[in-house]
Amino acid sequence: MLVNKQQVSPSESVQQDQPGHKEMLNYGVGFFGVILTWTLVGTFLTYYYTDVAGISAGVVGTLMLVARLFDGITDIGMGTLVDRTKSKHGKARPWLLWMGVPLGVTTFLLFTVPELGTGGKIVYAYATYILLIFVYTAMSIPYKTLLGYMTQEPQGRSVLNIYTGIFTMLATLVITILAQPVASAIGGKTGWAVVAAISGGTIIVTSYLAFRATKERVGQSNVQAKEKVQFNVGLKSLFLNKYWLIMTLYCVITYTLNALVTGAGLYYTTYILGNAAYFSIASLLLFIPSIIGFFFAAKLTAKYGKRNIAFLVSIIGIFGPIIKLIDPTSLQIFLTGTIVQGFGLVPTIIFIYAMINDTAEYGEWKFGFRTQGLINSAASFGMKVGAGLGGALIGWLLAFGGYVGGAAEQTDSANTMILVLNIYLPLALAVFQAILMWMYKLDQQYSQILSELHARKRK
């Protein structure tokens, strides 16, 4: 229940200057590089391991889950480190400068599995994947946290997230549409090494551009200005923050769904539809709702709020897998279902980081201190767990169905598992996704919470 209400509008209560469109653009450009690695790994690493490097599907499935769970643990530590960082560049922003080159190099190493025998390949895969996890976490957590430090103004944060979403979508499209054709045209392991090298080089450039162009504006609360918030206190506050809990669980469900749709899609087009090239077409169509959404998102968000739009498109996205069930072997029906299913991606691309950072204001209002880095890292833990679970399910279910990497045809049981991964599991997850978005109602309170926070700081 809200107390001590003041009739102060958010626009009146926000005292710091706001980021301009040029700064927002450069922030989005930086995110382009980060998402290149995320998409390359999430979409093609399982396929690269099973069909190019020659590692068994079951081993790959376990690797995906173990590595991502470990990834999630490092997220929590990184979030705490960001909250405690002190530099002339701020808390989150300096990490963009420090981690650009390491992330670019490790992206390349991940897709260069040498011929070391079965055991050697597995050891190399684990070692390079875990190395990537450390470096990627040290880049991605500060980057997501930086959004919350750039502005508190709700519409400004939403617009900033739209810029992020545009470059997230562009990076995803570039990888999903071009990576496989480019790698195939060059051939074998060399092709994938070239794709990874291009992605790594891009990351180095874009992260530096974002570092140079952005600015941290949001200050600490009075409590934090006097003393550091202990880790156990900050962690306890997360689990008492109901909206953070909803968004973190939403991240688990959504990123499991995304991992299945993208990571298992190439298997579907190859063995169910009979042509791997269809994957690039499906990847493009999957983003049509988001592409259209970018033209209207700012105005619709100002009028209806992030949550209401996200809930509506989540409901629409449920019908995508249902359409595919009409005839799983029909290319036309598959592509139609893919477009409809793409509505479920809209909240992830356009709103998710703004909504996660909004929960920081709720936590500060409720507990009196701000843990922006910890909130973003813990939510990112949900994303990593979801992505890891999705990747693990792909490997495990393919192995359970008797999938043979690189075979011209698969058994009926293997094809059945491919259908489960691409239609039945995504349908169940889409329903859960919509339920969680229905439960998120912070938009109704946010303006008043923000006004009260600024009133406290003026005292």
Side-chain angles (χ1 to χ4, degrees):
M1 180 177 178
L2 295 174
V3 295
N4 298 324
K5 293 185 178 181
Q6 286 185 250
Q7 298 302 317
V8 182
S9 70
S11 60
E12 293 173 331
S13 63
V14 178
Q15 300 298 319
Q16 71 269 12
D17 63 303
Q18 300 300 319
H21 288 290
K22 183 178 180 180
E23 183 179 349
M24 292 181 178
L25 178 65
N26 279 279
Y27 178 81
V29 167
F31 220 75
F32 179 88
V34 175
I35 297 300
L36 279 182
T37 291
W38 175 271
T39 307
L40 183 63
V41 172
T43 303
F44 293 107
L45 188 60
T46 299
Y47 179 81
Y48 171 80
Y49 281 154
T50 60
D51 285 42
V52 180
I55 303 174
S56 70
V59 170
V60 172
T62 301
L63 167 60
M64 291 293 110
L65 184 59
V66 171
R68 290 296 190 178
L69 287 175
F70 181 73
D71 194 359
I73 294 172
T74 63
D75 280 354
I76 304 297
M78 191 64 216
T80 302
L81 186 57
V82 171
D83 285 332
R84 295 173 181 269
T85 297
K86 293 182 178 180
S87 81
K88 63 180 180 179
H89 302 303
K91 289 181 171 293
R93 184 168 160 258
W95 292 94
L96 278 62
L97 176 65
W98 299 336
M99 291 294 113
V101 172
L103 181 56
V105 173
T106 51
T107 299
F108 172 73
L109 292 176
L110 194 66
F111 284 84
T112 55
V113 177
E115 291 297 336
L116 298 174
T118 301
K121 289 179 182 179
I122 295 173
V123 171
Y124 182 89
Y126 268 92
T128 52
Y129 202 178
I130 290 173
L131 177 61
L132 178 84
I133 283 169
F134 274 114
V135 180
Y136 181 83
T137 298
M139 170 68 84
S140 65
I141 297 302
Y143 214 110
K144 297 166 186 174
T145 304
L146 179 58
L147 185 149
Y149 280 123
M150 289 171 68
T151 180
Q152 278 184 311
E153 196 274 320
Q155 183 63 9
R157 186 174 284 178
S158 295
V159 173
L160 183 57
N161 203 159
I162 291 171
Y163 274 93
T164 302
I166 290 172
F167 284 98
T168 295
M169 183 188 65
L170 288 175
T172 304
L173 285 174
V174 166
I175 290 295
T176 54
I177 293 175
L178 297 179
Q180 192 273 335
V182 170
S184 296
I186 298 172
K189 291 185 177 180
T190 302
W192 286 103
V194 169
V195 169
I198 294 172
S199 299
T202 302
I203 291 163
I204 294 172
V205 174
T206 58
S207 60
Y208 180 73
L209 291 174
F211 164 77
R212 287 289 302 272
T214 54
K215 177 182 177 182
E216 293 188 13
R217 297 172 177 80
V218 178
Q220 297 174 313
S221 66
N222 292 333
V223 172
Q224 285 176 291
K226 297 176 182 177
E227 58 184 25
K228 292 182 179 179
V229 177
Q230 294 182 353
F231 174 75
N232 62 327
V233 175
L235 190 61
K236 181 180 178 180
S237 72
L238 289 185
F239 289 95
L240 295 175
N241 185 331
K242 61 182 178 180
Y243 293 116
W244 174 83
L245 286 171
I246 291 171
M247 287 308 302
T248 299
L249 185 55
Y250 179 85
C251 287
V252 174
I253 298 297
T254 297
Y255 279 82
T256 302
L257 174 60
N258 290 350
L260 293 177
V261 171
T262 57
L266 188 55
Y267 296 100
Y268 191 97
T269 56
T270 301
Y271 296 106
I272 304 300
L273 299 179
N275 191 335
Y278 293 152
F279 178 75
S280 296
I281 300 172
S283 297
L284 175 60
L285 295 179
L286 186 65
F287 286 94
I288 283 182
S290 294
I291 293 172
I292 296 173
F294 284 126
F295 292 100
F296 306 100
K299 291 184 178 180
L300 290 176
T301 299
K303 186 174 183 179
Y304 299 108
K306 297 184 291 289
R307 177 267 183 187
N308 292 336
I309 299 171
F311 176 57
L312 175 62
V313 294
S314 296
I315 293 293
I316 297 173
I318 293 173
F319 293 93
I322 295 175
I323 291 172
K324 292 180 181 180
L325 281 172
I326 296 173
D327 184 359
T329 62
S330 169
L331 174 62
Q332 291 76 16
I333 290 177
F334 175 79
L335 295 180
T336 301
T338 297
I339 294 174
V340 176
Q341 193 170 20
F343 280 93
L345 286 179
V346 172
T348 305
I349 294 175
I350 300 181
F351 301 122
I352 194 166
Y353 296 115
M355 295 176 78
I356 290 170
N357 279 280
D358 285 352
T359 69
E361 271 72 55
Y362 178 80
E364 184 180 1
W365 169 79
K366 189 174 180 66
F367 303 107
F369 54 83
R370 187 181 192 85
T371 54
Q372 195 90 34
L374 187 59
I375 277 178
N376 276 274
S377 64
S380 182
F381 173 78
M383 297 178 187
K384 303 293 180 59
V385 170
L389 182 58
L393 287 171
I394 293 172
W396 290 340
L397 291 181
L398 287 178
F400 180 76
Y403 175 83
V404 179
E409 294 183 1
Q410 300 294 335
T411 63
D412 289 342
S413 59
N415 286 333
T416 297
M417 289 300 103
I418 292 174
L419 290 174
V420 169
L421 289 166
N422 283 275
I423 297 179
Y424 295 101
L425 281 179
L427 174 59
L429 292 172
V431 172
F432 284 119
Q433 186 183 41
I435 291 173
L436 288 169
M437 194 52 63
W438 171 76
M439 295 171 64
Y440 181 92
K441 299 176 181 179
L442 180 56
D443 281 13
Q444 299 174 10
Q445 296 176 280
Y446 187 80
S447 294
Q448 185 62 42
I449 287 173
L450 195 60
S451 296
E452 291 193 15
L453 287 176
H454 284 284
R456 293 177 189 175
K457 291 176 182 179
R458 288 196 297 268
K459 293 179 179 180

